[in-house]
Amino acid sequence: MTATQWQSELMTQGAHIEDGAVQHFGDPLLERKITALGNVLCDLSHLGLLELKGADTVSFLQGQVTNDVKLLRGDNAHYSGYCSPKGRLLALFLAFAHQDHVHLQLPQDLLAPIMKRLTMYVMRSKVVITDTSDSIIKIGVNGPDATRLMQAIFGQVPSQDYALVGLEQATLLKLPTAQQQARYEIFTSSEHAQTIWNSLKTDCQPVGKACWDSLEIQAGIPEIVANTQEQFVPQMVNLDCLNAINFKKGCYTGQEIVARTHYLGTVKRRTFLASIVTDTLPMAGDKLLDANNSEVGQLVRVAKGLDNNIDVLAELRIEAQQTGTVYWQGQLLRFNALPYSLGTTGT
């Protein structure tokens, strides 16, 4: 069973699929309400997965990404940015090592161009890059009972955020959440996916991509998409606050700019959690204005929340956010607290 066949199976269970992603299972608003309080289950086929394998994989990636690949031990994961020579983000990876290879997860829409770019820099290194999106099924689970439900199926689950547990039928990753809930991603084969899904479905409501995106936004996790490539230095989208930058690992593409921003204390823009009341869905990359109609930032990540609320991560000048008057198409952003500290303002 391929990922496409897997989604065909989900369609028999009521999944509405568009642009390669499960949008909903028939009642989007109900799904979003249950996501806020209950246990939910989400297909993550909208996320692509690259596998890097070979004797030079770690050294190759060390010269490409913002985080220290040597810290991936097989029992953990971390975020890592991929920058242009000017220090601007081309992609954001969720990275983890498994057996003799490293996986990089990113939006499916960016997978082909990023894979092409990485391959271009392999040159004589002993590294093989493969798209494994079609052979590894990815499932998200979130809710107040998520840990208990996962334990009932797998027996063992990771207990700390970004901890990874490899089992015979799946690899389990614990993800951060801003609520009094627990959130996991399951990586499994087509052989086991249907059994795992149906077991969890007994106690979890299947939901669409927007619900998972909302959970990611509430956890303060940014995303780089085609519209926002090369728009941000990593600190602008809080990668330093997410431990996605290692300032001691040595050189990588764009490192000079990223390090200078850190050591000179010149971070004047950050990403903030907010909501917008509107019937129109904004897009990542949309511009944000202040009370004088001056551009002060842009949207990083967007998802439908409850009713007419739109959950967003907004990259802004720090002083603009502090005024509390930032607008998207005339609609005021309502700011909420991030689940992590941004550190000292402006540093």
Side-chain angles (χ1 to χ4, degrees):
M1 182 189 293
T2 65
T4 302
Q5 292 170 324
W6 165 244
Q7 286 199 333
S8 296
E9 167 60 27
L10 294 180
M11 289 176 67
T12 68
Q13 300 185 24
H16 293 249
I17 296 175
E18 184 179 336
D19 298 327
V22 175
Q23 301 298 329
H24 58 83
F25 282 82
D27 193 336
L29 181 57
L30 175 63
E31 291 171 26
R32 295 197 294 273
K33 288 181 177 179
I34 293 175
T35 300
L37 298 172
N39 302 302
V40 296
L41 183 63
C42 186
D43 170 61
L44 304 181
S45 296
H46 56 274
L47 298 174
L49 200 63
L50 293 176
E51 177 188 286
L52 284 80
K53 186 175 182 179
D56 297 331
T57 293
V58 172
S59 59
F60 168 71
L61 281 174
Q62 284 290 74
Q64 300 294 323
V65 300
T66 61
N67 217 335
D68 190 347
V69 184
K70 294 179 181 178
L71 298 179
L72 296 175
R73 306 175 302 268
D75 61 356
N76 66 314
H78 63 213
Y79 284 101
S80 193
Y82 181 42
C83 296
S84 71
K86 294 182 179 180
R88 297 277 170 158
L89 284 166
L90 297 166
L92 175 62
F93 302 130
L94 179 60
F96 60 95
H98 182 65
Q99 296 177 349
D100 61 346
H101 52 266
V102 174
H103 280 299
L104 303 175
Q105 181 171 273
L106 71 163
Q108 186 68 250
D109 290 349
L110 285 187
L111 186 141
I114 293 299
M115 181 178 175
K116 181 179 179 180
R117 186 182 181 95
L118 284 170
T119 302
M120 187 170 63
Y121 287 102
V122 168
M123 294 184 285
R124 295 182 180 179
S125 298
K126 295 178 181 178
V127 180
V128 177
I129 305 175
T130 308
D131 177 2
T132 56
S133 308
D134 209 37
S135 59
I136 298 177
I137 307 299
K138 300 168 293 296
I139 299 170
V141 184
N142 183 83
D145 303 316
T147 300
R148 176 179 61 80
L149 297 174
M150 293 278 286
Q151 286 175 334
I153 294 173
F154 298 106
Q156 180 185 2
V157 296
S159 59
Q160 302 294 324
D161 288 350
Y162 303 113
L164 195 73
V165 171
L167 304 171
E168 183 178 349
Q169 70 271 46
T171 295
L172 313 178
L173 173 63
K174 191 172 190 297
L175 294 169
T177 179
Q179 305 172 16
Q180 298 301 312
Q181 300 182 348
R183 192 161 67 105
Y184 300 90
E185 182 170 355
I186 302 166
F187 302 88
T188 190
S189 65
S190 56
E191 176 187 0
H192 295 107
Q194 189 167 347
T195 299
I196 292 170
W197 177 275
N198 290 337
S199 296
L200 287 164
K201 188 182 172 186
T202 303
D203 297 286
C204 296
Q205 168 67 46
V207 299
K209 175 181 182 292
C211 294
W212 192 258
D213 285 345
S214 180
L215 291 169
E216 290 271 273
I217 289 170
Q218 296 300 322
I221 308 299
E223 182 180 59
I224 302 300
V225 295
N227 281 354
T228 58
Q229 283 186 304
E230 298 193 73
Q231 295 297 303
F232 311 117
V233 171
Q235 290 95 327
M236 292 180 184
V237 290
N238 307 343
L239 293 198
D240 51 338
C241 306
L242 292 165
N243 296 316
I245 309 172
N246 189 296
F247 294 102
K248 300 177 181 179
K249 58 165 280 188
C251 294
Y252 55 88
T253 304
Q255 181 262 346
E256 183 179 350
I257 305 298
V258 178
R260 184 187 306 153
T261 301
H262 173 71
Y263 289 113
L264 295 182
T266 54
V267 181
K268 304 301 182 184
R269 310 174 73 98
R270 284 293 192 180
T271 291
F272 300 90
L273 176 62
S275 62
I276 307 171
V277 178
T278 176
D279 292 323
T280 304
L281 184 66
M283 292 181 61
D286 283 359
K287 303 306 180 185
L288 300 171
L289 307 178
D290 64 11
N292 298 317
N293 284 328
S294 297
E295 185 180 316
V296 292
Q298 61 183 296
L299 295 177
V300 176
R301 195 165 192 174
V302 173
K304 289 184 178 180
L306 295 181
D307 299 323
N308 291 332
N309 284 349
I310 304 295
D311 297 326
V312 303
L313 289 175
E315 180 269 339
L316 295 164
R317 295 179 192 164
I318 292 171
E319 67 270 18
Q321 189 274 338
Q322 290 173 338
T323 69
T325 52
V326 177
Y327 299 89
W328 171 82
Q329 296 189 4
Q331 300 296 320
L332 184 69
L333 270 66
R334 302 177 180 181
F335 292 100
N336 303 301
L338 283 162
Y340 51 78
S341 171
L342 292 179
T344 305
T345 300
T347 64

